[in-house]
Amino acid sequence: MAKLLNRDELKQKRDKYIVPGVKQMYKDAPHFVRGKGQYLYDETGREYLDMFAGIVTVSVGHCHPKVTQRTQEQLNTLQHTSTIFMTQPMVDLAEKLAEIAPGAISKSFITNSGTEANEAAIRFARLATGRHEVIALEHSYHGESHLASTLTANYNWRPKTMPAAGVAYAANAYCYRCPFKKTPDSCSLECAKDVERVIQTQTSGQPAVMIAEPIQGVGGAITPPQEYFGAVKKILEKYGALFIADEVQTGVGRTGRDWFGISSWGVTPDLITMAKGLANGLPIGACLMTPEIAEHSTKQQINTFGGNPVSSATGLAVLETIQEERLMENADVQGNYIMSALKEMQKDFPDLIGDVRGKGLMLGVELADKHKTPLVEQCANIVEMSKDDGVIIGKGGLFGNTLRIKPPMTITRDNADTMLKVLKKSLEATSKRMTANV
Ligand SMILES: Cc1ncc(COP(=O)(O)O)c(C=O)c1O
């Protein structure tokens, strides 16, 4: 075992050897050495309540005993062969994914990450339609590769390099900052209609596919109106285009009622992409589709690590654990509880909390004043203060002013109360500081 470094030693070594773009969320970052359930421990033994789950990934809690045992068993039995050889865990996982997937979706291409799953989904959609153009939503995040970063319509995550060709962007279904200046009372679903405008003005009129996150994750838990995806799907069908639900964050039950976030909108996509929570932190991704779409991909496809026995066995163990421990129900119950408490808190801090949104344990708190000015510095400070008080909360959004609460789906009511107490304390300190600065 390597000598355990303290956080300063580790920071120095990290700065020396890791590329600078791989940034830390904190100014004063803890050095995490251990995780158990919904808790993380730093090198001094200090405990932190993890309300961000390693960016929405540790779905069943850190080092879940059953999942870890299945990973270890597989690791000790057979670790790797690649997809050109026949092994069972990948096929067992694909069978389970077909069981939980909506509609006719029953074929999987297993990958190592969400980026790869999205790359694959676009390729499958292009092959199936014989078309090229893709529509994505503003504020989206779809990954790091050339194409996935082009699909990502958030300048924070776009490299200063030539983007991929053939991607058009529709206005976002962002009710709090409605691009059409509507309010929930006057909403006429202009955001959904914008998809048709984009097809007519920015494509040949024959796009291959649209990709969207049911709830935008990195974008800050932006949650479209209830009629949105139904209306969008109809427009896509009118133009013969397919629909990919990017469930990399919303998948595996996080939104609390169904395995997939898109089901809350009553829509069945043509393809689904998954990653993150599927294997609780082991590298995995999956692109799910109907057999009709799959059959257009006739050339040999290979993925050296994708579908490897260890990640696949772990993924299956995670899905079984979510069912056995009724974690979707827990995400619903705890999520509703936190959501109500945050809405109450919004009344106490009207000049700090602009919007509370999301579903299940996929929640966002957008910090903005009464004029909707994004409170960027305050958001960073609240995240830092909460960590100092032992609670890990994420942040995101185009402006970096949205708190992201997306814990393991195993959290308890006590955990929710601890997080709410710590958050309230940080909000009070921030509010006092803002008043003193006026
Ligand atoms: C919605 C969404 N899609 C795709 C990705 C990319 O996944 P990965 O980081 O596994 O490549 C992410 C990562 O945050 C994501 O949030």
CSV table of all heavy atoms in Angstrom, one decimal, residues 7-8 26-30 384 387-388:
chain,number,residue,atom,x,y,z
A,7,ARG,N,-3.8,16.0,3.3
A,7,ARG,CA,-4.4,16.6,2.1
A,7,ARG,C,-3.5,17.6,1.4
A,7,ARG,O,-3.6,17.8,0.2
A,7,ARG,CB,-5.8,17.3,2.5
A,7,ARG,CG,-5.6,18.5,3.5
A,7,ARG,CD,-7.0,19.0,3.8
A,7,ARG,NE,-7.8,18.0,4.5
A,7,ARG,CZ,-9.0,18.2,5.0
A,7,ARG,NH1,-9.6,19.4,4.8
A,7,ARG,NH2,-9.7,17.3,5.7
A,8,ASP,N,-2.6,18.3,2.2
A,8,ASP,CA,-1.7,19.2,1.5
A,8,ASP,C,-0.7,18.5,0.6
A,8,ASP,O,-0.4,18.9,-0.5
A,8,ASP,CB,-0.9,20.1,2.6
A,8,ASP,CG,-1.9,21.0,3.3
A,8,ASP,OD1,-2.9,21.3,2.7
A,8,ASP,OD2,-1.7,21.2,4.6
A,26,TYR,N,-13.8,22.0,-4.2
A,26,TYR,CA,-13.6,22.8,-3.0
A,26,TYR,C,-12.3,23.6,-3.1
A,26,TYR,O,-11.3,23.1,-3.7
A,26,TYR,CB,-13.5,22.0,-1.8
A,26,TYR,CG,-14.8,21.2,-1.5
A,26,TYR,CD1,-14.9,19.8,-1.5
A,26,TYR,CD2,-16.0,21.9,-1.2
A,26,TYR,CE1,-16.0,19.2,-1.2
A,26,TYR,CE2,-17.2,21.3,-0.9
A,26,TYR,CZ,-17.2,19.9,-0.9
A,26,TYR,OH,-18.3,19.2,-0.6
A,27,LYS,N,-12.3,24.8,-2.4
A,27,LYS,CA,-11.0,25.5,-2.2
A,27,LYS,C,-10.1,24.7,-1.3
A,27,LYS,O,-9.0,24.5,-1.6
A,27,LYS,CB,-11.3,26.9,-1.6
A,27,LYS,CG,-11.6,27.9,-2.6
A,27,LYS,CD,-11.7,29.3,-1.9
A,27,LYS,CE,-13.1,29.9,-2.2
A,27,LYS,NZ,-13.7,30.6,-1.2
A,28,ASP,N,-10.7,24.2,-0.2
A,28,ASP,CA,-10.0,23.4,0.8
A,28,ASP,C,-10.6,22.0,0.7
A,28,ASP,O,-11.6,21.7,1.4
A,28,ASP,CB,-10.2,24.0,2.1
A,28,ASP,CG,-9.6,23.2,3.2
A,28,ASP,OD1,-8.6,22.4,2.9
A,28,ASP,OD2,-10.0,23.3,4.4
A,29,ALA,N,-10.0,21.1,-0.2
A,29,ALA,CA,-10.6,19.8,-0.5
A,29,ALA,C,-10.2,18.8,0.5
A,29,ALA,O,-9.0,18.6,0.8
A,29,ALA,CB,-10.2,19.4,-1.9
A,30,PRO,N,-11.1,18.0,1.1
A,30,PRO,CA,-10.7,16.9,1.9
A,30,PRO,C,-10.1,15.8,1.1
A,30,PRO,O,-10.3,15.7,-0.1
A,30,PRO,CB,-12.1,16.4,2.5
A,30,PRO,CG,-13.1,17.3,2.1
A,30,PRO,CD,-12.6,18.1,1.0
A,384,GLU,N,-18.9,25.1,0.3
A,384,GLU,CA,-17.7,25.0,1.1
A,384,GLU,C,-18.1,25.0,2.6
A,384,GLU,O,-17.5,24.1,3.3
A,384,GLU,CB,-16.8,26.2,0.8
A,384,GLU,CG,-15.4,26.1,1.2
A,384,GLU,CD,-14.5,25.4,0.2
A,384,GLU,OE1,-14.8,25.4,-1.0
A,384,GLU,OE2,-13.4,24.9,0.7
A,387,LYS,N,-19.6,21.7,3.6
A,387,LYS,CA,-18.5,20.6,3.7
A,387,LYS,C,-17.8,20.8,5.1
A,387,LYS,O,-17.5,19.8,5.8
A,387,LYS,CB,-17.5,20.8,2.5
A,387,LYS,CG,-16.3,19.9,2.6
A,387,LYS,CD,-15.1,20.6,3.1
A,387,LYS,CE,-14.7,21.8,2.2
A,387,LYS,NZ,-13.7,22.6,2.8
A,388,ASP,N,-17.5,22.0,5.5
A,388,ASP,CA,-16.8,22.3,6.7
A,388,ASP,C,-17.7,21.8,7.9
A,388,ASP,O,-17.2,21.4,9.0
A,388,ASP,CB,-16.5,23.7,6.9
A,388,ASP,CG,-15.4,24.2,6.0
A,388,ASP,OD1,-14.7,23.3,5.4
A,388,ASP,OD2,-15.3,25.4,5.7
